[in-house]
Each structure stands twice: as C-alpha cells, then as structure tokens.
Amino acid sequence: MDKRYQVFISSTYSDLKEERGKVMQTVMSLDCIPAGMEFFTAIDSEQLEFIKRIIDDCDYYILIIGGKYGSMTEDGISYTEQEYNYAVSKGIRVLAFLHDNINQLTTDKIELDQNKREKLEAFRDKVKTGRLVQFWSNADDLNGKVAVSLTKTIKTYPAIGWIRGNTPTNEETLQEINELRKELDELRKYKQEKESAGCEIADVASLDETISLSGIAGVYHSKWETTISWKDLFALIAPYFIEPLNDYLARKSIAEALVEEIDGPNPYNPEISSKDFQTIKIQMNVLGLIRITPAKSTKGGQALFWRLSEKGVKLMNDLRVIRHLNTTGNVE
C-alpha cells in the first residue's frame, strides 16, 4: 500500500525561515507530509495545545536549533523546547540538527540576552544527551543532512504512516496479514515453551538433590551455612520473583530468605557467597524455572532481571499452596 509519513519540523521561526523552507521542500520530495507552525509566528499557550495535537499525528520529529532560544512560555521555557519535550514524551522518533558554531552567525540570528543564551546552551546539551545529533553550518548543508537522515530513519524505523482513505482494501492482502499474525503467535508460543523448558544439558541435578550454601550475616559478619534441596530452595525463593527483580535485589532476596530460614526473622544484612549465588542463577535458568534476561533499568542502563517462567509459576503453586487436611490430619 502507498504509505506516507508525516514529519513535524520544529525550530525558532524568524531566524530560520530560509532553512525551514528548504527542509520542508526536502521532506515533500521524499513523499512525506511536512507539518509545522508556519502560520503561528506569534505563538501562545492556547496554540501550543493545538501544536501538541498535530505532533500526536506525526511519525517523525525534526528539530533544528540555530542561534536563538525563541519566545518563552510563562514558565520560562521556549515554545520550541516545549514542543521537543512533548515529542520525546510521546516516543516520537527525533532527528536533531544543531548549528555547529553559533558565534559565526550574524547578530540578528543570535540571542543577545545572557539569560536566553544560557537557556539555549542548556537546551543544546539536553538534546545531545542520549541521542545522535548532526551539526550544520548553512541552509544547504542542513538540507542535505536532513535528506539523508530522514531517508535512513524511515528505512530503519518505519512508523505507522498515513494511507489514503479511498485506498481499496485487498481481501487477499488481509488474508495474508491474518496468516502472518497466526505464524507470529505460533512463534511466540514456541519461544515461551523453549524458555520454560530451560537449556538441554545432560545429567542436570534433580530437584531432590541437595546443595551446600554459605554466606555472612549479622553485625559481626558471622558465617552461615546450610544444605538444602533444589526443590526446597526454589519453594523458598520463588515468590520473590513473581515480579521482575534485578540481579542485585535477587541476590539480596535469596540471602534474606535462606538466613531467615536458618536463624529466624529479621536477619541483619545477610549475604550469600558470590560463587553460590552464580550457581543458583545458572541452575534455576537451566531447569527452566526462572528466566534471567537483560533489560533496560530505570536509570537507562542494562541490567539482568529475574522472573518466574510459566513452568516456575506452576511448580511454585504446587509447592507453596496450602492444601486441605482430612480428619486424620493428613494432606489430601
């Protein structure tokens, strides 16, 4: 189907008229739909809400920063920065282009107010943090870089796009899409089953076999030791991993559970030896009871996270459920 992408072009207005005009022509030449506030040279808060609705409809967001910070809201933030913040919050793919040497611009294209110059520098730093940006020196340089970057971004990160409302729906195409969905569901199911089954390694210790574990706890870092079956160990720690825990919290939770089992409640600062912790990690993963996968942490970095597999949930329920007692006091 013939799909077109809508691209929002954001910048200060009066100082970048020439640059915006060329970029809009380039966007149209790539069969995309340019969007921008060409008719809102005197923007206000009410119009900013309208701009946000336009950004919501866009697939990509081009940010051009020159030598001016631009008009500011009552909060002291420029409307251009407000637009950028909103696009980032909505997860729209951002292509940022910063002038490489503001000092070379003429006085009518730079901020003379010291406060605005500082805000502009802070804005540039924010945009450069956590993403690749490109630097431009003149309108033609900017135009060429926008053309290359937008083409590459569309190819690498295809968005939803727009299709004409009168585009005929092909029944055969819909059937193909439906078949692809079915195949995708089957692949997902297969992946989950493989994850639940764990690694195929011969002679893996059974759940009834035991392991000796040790660590330290208490104010004086007293050593603790225990021997426990893999089944009992899993039953002890499984509830901690109903929700994902990172590697650090997983180790802490396992140590607390083991020391509490040995010495009673409220163990002080318990730790488990690094070697034993890594052995538990590998064994639970191989047994297919706990999935340990890398994922993005809340601070933006990568971390290992532990979570029960489907197989692990079933075994935990079987081991930890409270069963009904018959009149003889035996579990039925």
Side-chain angles (χ1 to χ4, degrees), residues 10-17 63-72 78-81 99 102-103 105-113 115-121 123-124 136:
S10 178
S11 74
T12 50
Y13 184 75
S14 60
D15 59 315
L16 294 174
K17 279 185 179 180
L63 174 65
I64 306 169
I65 299 181
K68 281 186 171 290
Y69 185 60
S71 301
M72 296 189 296
S78 73
Y79 287 100
T80 303
E81 187 170 358
H99 197 283
I102 295 174
N103 294 326
L105 295 170
T106 55
T107 55
D108 61 320
K109 292 193 174 185
I110 60 174
E111 292 292 359
L112 301 178
D113 179 87
N115 180 46
K116 283 192 170 185
R117 288 177 70 92
E118 291 174 0
K119 287 180 178 291
L120 175 62
E121 192 60 34
F123 183 29
R124 286 169 60 92
W136 58 278

Side-chain angles (χ1 to χ4, degrees), residues 156-172:
T156 308
Y157 306 101
I160 298 173
W162 295 87
I163 300 172
R164 288 179 62 90
N166 61 353
T167 301
T169 301
N170 189 313
E171 187 175 343
E172 185 177 345

Side-chain angles (χ1 to χ4, degrees), residues 97-287:
F97 302 88
L98 283 62
H99 197 283
D100 63 354
N101 192 346
I102 295 174
N103 294 326
Q104 291 182 348
L105 295 170
T106 55
T107 55
D108 61 320
K109 292 193 174 185
I110 60 174
E111 292 292 359
L112 301 178
D113 179 87
Q114 183 61 30
N115 180 46
K116 283 192 170 185
R117 288 177 70 92
E118 291 174 0
K119 287 180 178 291
L120 175 62
E121 192 60 34
F123 183 29
R124 286 169 60 92
D125 289 341
K126 178 167 70 173
V127 172
K128 288 186 288 185
T129 302
R131 69 166 40 80
L132 293 175
V133 301
Q134 295 200 50
F135 296 91
W136 58 278
S137 56
N138 56 58
D140 290 330
D141 180 37
L142 170 65
N143 199 36
K145 288 177 177 176
V146 168
V148 173
S149 293
L150 184 56
T151 301
K152 186 182 296 185
T153 301
I154 290 173
K155 183 177 180 180
T156 308
Y157 306 101
I160 298 173
W162 295 87
I163 300 172
R164 288 179 62 90
N166 61 353
T167 301
T169 301
N170 189 313
E171 187 175 343
E172 185 177 345
T173 301
L174 291 177
Q175 188 172 355
E176 286 181 10
I177 292 173
N178 194 42
E179 290 299 320
L180 287 171
R181 283 176 178 166
K182 290 180 180 178
E183 289 181 16
L184 181 59
D185 288 339
E186 289 175 0
L187 285 171
R188 284 173 177 161
K189 185 177 180 181
Y190 174 77
K191 180 175 179 291
Q192 289 176 349
E193 289 174 350
K194 292 295 289 183
E195 288 176 343
S196 299
C199 305
E200 295 180 1
I201 299 176
D203 302 324
V204 177
S206 71
L207 288 171
D208 292 322
E209 293 184 56
T210 60
I211 180 174
S212 295
L213 303 171
S214 64
I216 57 175
V219 177
Y220 300 106
H221 297 150
S222 302
K223 185 175 181 179
W224 60 264
E225 293 180 306
T226 187
T227 299
I228 188 171
S229 71
W230 285 106
K231 181 187 294 183
D232 290 341
L233 174 61
F234 178 74
L236 190 64
I237 67 174
Y240 291 99
F241 304 113
I242 294 174
E243 294 295 329
L245 280 186
N246 64 35
D247 221 34
Y248 170 78
L249 292 177
R251 182 173 179 177
K252 184 177 178 65
S253 299
I254 291 171
E256 288 178 352
L258 286 167
V259 175
E260 184 177 346
E261 187 75 3
I262 298 168
D263 294 334
N266 301 319
Y268 178 77
N269 197 25
E271 295 181 22
I272 184 171
S273 75
S274 178
K275 179 181 177 181
D276 289 346
F277 172 67
Q278 299 301 336
T279 299
I280 292 171
K281 179 194 295 186
I282 294 168
Q283 190 74 5
M284 293 300 174
N285 188 55
V286 169
L287 291 172

Side-chain angles (χ1 to χ4, degrees), residues 92 108 297 330:
I92 298 172
D108 61 320
S297 68
N330 297 320

